[in-house]
Amino acid sequence: MLTLLVTGGAGFIGSNFARTVVAETSHAVTVLDSLSYAGNTGSLDGLDPTRFRFVRGSITDARLVDELVAAHDIVVHFAAESHNDNSLNDPSPFIQTNLVGTYELLQAVRRHDKRYHHISTDEVYGDLELDDPARFTETTPYNPSSPYSATKAGSDLLVRAWVRSFGVQATISNCSNNYGPRQHVEKFIPRQITNVIDGIRPKLYGAGANVRDWIHVDDHNSAVLRIIEAGQIGETYLIGADGEKDNKSVIELILTLMGQPTDAYDHVNDRAGHDLRYAIDSSKLRTELGWTPRYRDFEAGLAATIEWYRSNEAWWRPMKAATEANYAKAGQ
Ligand code: NAD
Ligand code: TDX
């Protein structure tokens, strides 16, 4: 049995990760989360208290981080400011959490010689043309576009430097767009699902030709567990499930699955600097670590996600009105 310190474990991916670890392994989990606007302890309800503990605090708090890192075997670092649109309005918390917070964690794992896994995004590579046959690989040069992706790129580079300069035992994963239960309603898919539930028309940025490479959150997390088990120290692994879809098609599919006409959505202001296309080549993870995704049918995964939001209104209702009010200010 190992003890895992999971930062950001009250957020979307981290809470699903904590649930998977407690359900499917013998490891114990401590979640460290500051409960920013994106954190929700309701996402951790029902976890076995003999193998799960929640600590409220920030990864920028060096003393707290040092104490917790010293007391665990592995740090799995999910905590971040994660929303591109927010980073365009106010980059400041992105600098603090994504860069300074990662620095504090790296210093602590260095002092205590602990294993560290760093969760990152494919957005660090910038974007691709729609007709480019290439996909991102572990050797694609970094070229981030937004304040969010620039801070994630910076945090990845800190990890690489701490591995090379100080021998920190770290691995990095860069994943594509996740969908599934417990994702904040500010994000594309849950925003549209909860809009339809509320009788609001879905909102498509610009023409909606932008492509995202969708992966179910449980597939992201099974890959993270595999990297923790078998990944080579110092290596980066790209995680993706061959799920490229343009935004317009995703909105149309949500509308169809929810019994609405496929044209019942609005075009709204585009995002500044909006990345055109992301696409992941996950061959290294598949061939070297033998990982494969379990969710191969996007429509079935999306239908199950819609059902989750229909059945869990109490989870998302408190954040919906404020989220939409923020979007309305930006004409989105
Ligand atoms: P999220 O916004 O849902 O959750 C982030 C969590 O971090 C929240 O619970 C929040 O309270 C917490 N947090 C924020 N600042 C903190 C701080 N200073 N100290 C402690 N906790 C803090 O984000 P998510 O979508 O679950 O993303 C998790 C990670 O995965 C991020 O590192 C993100 O960059 C990465 N990622 C996300 C996606 C995606 O599609 N959502 C894809 C690839 C990578
Ligand atoms: O209402 C919307 N309408 C719309 O067309 C919203 C919220 C988004 N969009 C578009 C913008 C993007 O092209 O949908 C796409 C997905 O948007 P987001 O959910 O904001 O995700 P994205 O910007 O692609 O970033 C996500 O994937 C990579 C996560 O939020 C990041 O944390 C992760 O690193």
Side-chain angles (χ1 to χ4, degrees):
M1 186 195 96
L2 296 166
T3 55
L4 273 58
L5 179 64
V6 176
T7 71
F12 165 45
I13 307 174
S15 64
N16 283 292
F17 180 77
R19 302 187 83 85
T20 299
V21 171
V22 173
E24 293 176 14
T25 76
S26 57
H27 306 323
V29 170
T30 301
V31 161
L32 169 63
D33 197 294
S34 62
L35 297 182
S36 76
Y37 80 93
N40 190 334
T41 52
S43 299
L44 298 164
D45 278 352
L47 285 172
D48 173 1
T50 63
R51 286 199 294 124
F52 172 73
R53 183 161 79 103
F54 178 77
V55 176
R56 182 173 190 177
S58 175
I59 55 166
T60 60
D61 179 342
R63 263 183 50 192
L64 177 64
V65 163
D66 187 76
E67 186 187 304
L68 286 170
V69 168
H72 290 80
D73 299 315
I74 304 178
V75 176
V76 192
H77 176 34
F78 290 91
E81 285 292 333
S82 68
H83 194 37
N84 276 298
D85 292 317
N86 293 343
S87 81
L88 296 165
N89 291 331
D90 180 10
S92 162
F94 290 76
I95 304 291
Q96 287 308 313
T97 292
N98 300 359
L99 288 169
V100 178
T102 298
Y103 161 76
E104 295 298 355
L105 287 163
L106 287 169
Q107 287 291 72
V109 294
R110 176 185 169 199
R111 278 191 294 271
H112 299 289
D113 197 21
K114 301 289 180 172
R115 174 85 170 83
Y116 172 91
H117 181 69
H118 185 74
I119 306 292
S120 192
T121 170
D122 58 359
E123 297 193 20
V124 300
Y125 300 114
D127 60 355
L128 298 162
E129 293 300 327
L130 294 178
D131 59 358
D132 189 337
R135 298 190 291 171
F136 300 138
T137 71
E138 288 77 5
T139 56
T140 303
Y142 274 38
N143 186 27
S145 313
S146 74
Y148 162 69
S149 50
T151 58
K152 291 298 293 187
S155 72
D156 294 8
L157 298 181
L158 291 176
V159 179
R160 291 184 185 193
W162 261 243
V163 169
R164 175 149 175 180
S165 302
F166 307 123
V168 159
Q169 303 170 61
T171 42
I172 299 175
S173 55
N174 297 79
C175 188
S176 61
N177 283 62
N178 287 214
Y179 74 96
R182 305 179 188 83
Q183 185 170 30
H184 195 283
V185 295
E186 70 190 353
K187 301 298 193 318
F188 179 56
I189 286 179
R191 182 182 185 205
Q192 315 314 336
I193 295 171
T194 54
N195 275 355
V196 175
I197 292 172
D198 278 354
I200 304 169
R201 286 161 69 90
K203 309 295 179 201
L204 187 63
Y205 292 177
N210 308 64
V211 169
R212 295 295 181 264
D213 189 352
W214 294 100
I215 182 172
H216 193 279
V217 63
D218 290 344
D219 280 334
H220 181 179
N221 284 331
S222 72
V224 170
L225 275 171
R226 185 71 196 131
I227 295 165
I228 289 169
E229 267 169 22
Q232 297 295 303
I233 299 302
E235 290 295 309
T236 288
Y237 298 90
L238 264 54
I239 305 174
D242 303 329
E244 284 187 68
K245 306 251 171 317
D246 65 70
N247 294 340
K248 182 168 173 288
S249 306
V250 174
I251 283 209
E252 288 171 352
L253 184 56
I254 291 171
L255 285 163
T256 302
L257 291 170
M258 297 185 77
Q260 303 290 316
T262 52
D263 61 353
Y265 64 86
D266 295 329
H267 291 276
V268 294
N269 289 340
D270 207 349
R271 175 182 286 170
H274 195 173
D275 279 341
L276 190 52
R277 171 173 163 244
Y278 305 138
I280 289 258
D281 177 347
S282 58
S283 307
K284 177 177 172 181
L285 177 67
R286 293 174 193 236
T287 54
E288 292 184 13
L289 304 188
W291 173 84
T292 45
R294 209 157 49 84
Y295 292 79
R296 296 180 168 281
D297 180 346
F298 179 69
E299 185 170 330
L302 189 58
T305 304
I306 291 169
E307 190 43 45
W308 189 88
Y309 282 90
R310 281 195 167 124
S311 307
N312 290 277
E313 185 171 336
W315 181 91
W316 57 265
R317 176 59 64 199
M319 32 181 142
K320 181 68 181 167
T323 303
E324 287 306 311
N326 272 338
Y327 277 126
K329 278 187 230 154
Q332 293 178 321

